[in-house]
Amino acid sequence: MRKTLSLAIVLAGLAAAPAAAGDAEISAAQSTIDQQLQAFLADDEAAAYSLAAPSIKRMFPSVESFMAMVEGGYMPVRRPQSYAFGKTHELSPTSIIQQVLLVGPDGKNYEAVYTLELQEDGVFRITGCSLRASSALST
């Protein structure tokens, strides 16, 4: 009986370990998004750009080109009245998909779906964002 109990405790500990690691990774990815949204709100364009992954920086090689893209198609992300994290999907320990529910500057609801990848420096950076009008309730 004692060996069975010990084995059950070890197995329970192993089962809990990936969830704890996943929580830390999700929290780190959400922190990156939050930092970028706060940088947008503070008009700190360089800080917002610094949170983009290298693949995004190759497409938009300057802060100015990046901000032109954001302001041209992502105003709810650029100037949210409010935002809250929604569903998260961990594709792997280094790849996260994060839903963000936003109220845009126009007062309408939007859903942004971010993809993030863990970089060599240990920081999750944003690899993409899709935006669409949402029927979700405002937060």
Side-chain angles (χ1 to χ4, degrees):
M1 178 77 155
R2 186 175 170 146
K3 286 183 180 181
T4 304
L5 181 59
S6 296
L7 181 59
I9 291 170
V10 169
L11 291 175
L14 290 175
D23 290 346
E25 292 149 355
I26 289 167
S27 179
Q30 289 176 347
S31 177
T32 295
I33 295 168
D34 185 56
Q35 288 174 50
Q36 188 177 65
L37 292 171
Q38 291 299 316
F40 284 144
L41 288 168
D43 292 322
D44 189 346
E45 297 172 350
Y49 183 67
S50 74
L51 296 161
S55 58
I56 298 296
K57 290 180 177 180
R58 282 190 291 278
M59 289 189 282
F60 303 98
S62 68
V63 172
E64 295 76 20
S65 63
F66 175 75
M67 290 306 300
M69 175 271 298
V70 171
E71 290 175 353
Y74 295 87
M75 281 309 289
V77 170
R78 173 69 170 102
R79 291 277 184 230
Q81 289 183 27
S82 64
Y83 61 91
F85 293 108
K87 297 176 187 174
T88 305
H89 183 67
E90 188 176 11
L91 297 174
S92 74
T94 62
S95 182
I96 305 278
I97 297 173
Q98 177 66 58
Q99 175 192 47
V100 179
L101 304 172
L102 307 123
V103 177
D106 57 4
K108 295 180 181 175
N109 296 319
Y110 294 88
E111 175 191 37
V113 178
Y114 285 82
T115 55
L116 301 99
E117 293 285 334
L118 186 63
Q119 304 301 305
E120 290 181 11
D121 63 1
V123 176
F124 276 94
R125 290 212 170 71
I126 299 165
T127 57
C129 178
S130 64
L131 181 68
R132 68 178 182 94
S134 173
S135 59
L137 296 175
S138 298
T139 57

